[in-house]
Amino acid sequence: MTSNFEKYDMYKFTAASKVLPLPSWARVTNLENGKSVIVRVNDRGPFVPNRIIDLSYAAAVRIGIWPRGTGLGRVQAIDPRHPQELPPSDVVKTPDSHPAIWLQVGAYADA
């Protein structure tokens, strides 16, 4: 179960975030190849420093993060009442000394 009380499905375009409200929508762009995906934020996490969002398997594959597991990305919140995207600076403020954001696709105890 997710924090939003939904059954997790790794084949849906979903994500976990500690800074975006539940539920919400976000566009995640892989900064290395420019591919992006729109995900529904329905869970809390990641609980690792310097990471602001965890993507489902399907979302990670779509933007080319999988199989590496992490990558540089941009996260833009999407307001469903106003479909235009908010600028990234309005979503998450990162310290100037750490402008890079890493995305974690998964963490597993067993390979």
Side-chain angles (χ1 to χ4, degrees):
M1 297 294 282
T2 66
S3 296
N4 211 29
F5 299 106
E6 299 171 357
K7 186 176 179 182
Y8 173 71
D9 184 345
M10 65 189 256
Y11 297 108
K12 290 186 177 179
F13 293 142
T14 59
S17 174
K18 293 184 292 186
V19 296
L20 296 171
L22 295 179
S24 64
W25 295 86
R27 177 185 297 275
V28 181
T29 304
N30 182 341
L31 294 178
E32 293 179 1
N33 62 18
K35 293 181 179 180
S36 67
V37 66
I38 294 177
V39 294
R40 184 167 184 267
V41 180
N42 66 350
D43 204 1
R44 288 292 173 223
F47 301 104
V48 178
N50 296 328
R51 294 185 184 155
I52 61 166
I53 198 164
D54 273 345
L55 297 176
S56 65
Y57 169 78
V61 168
R62 172 66 59 97
I63 64 172
I65 298 289
W66 186 89
R68 276 192 336 214
T70 61
L72 289 175
R74 179 177 61 200
V75 179
Q76 297 171 288
I78 298 174
D79 184 348
R81 295 168 298 177
H82 307 286
Q84 71 274 14
E85 299 167 343
L86 299 172
S89 61
D90 290 348
V91 179
V92 177
K93 305 242 186 258
T94 58
D96 292 334
S97 59
H98 300 290
I101 298 171
W102 290 89
L103 304 174
Q104 177 179 354
V105 174
Y108 306 97
D110 211 0

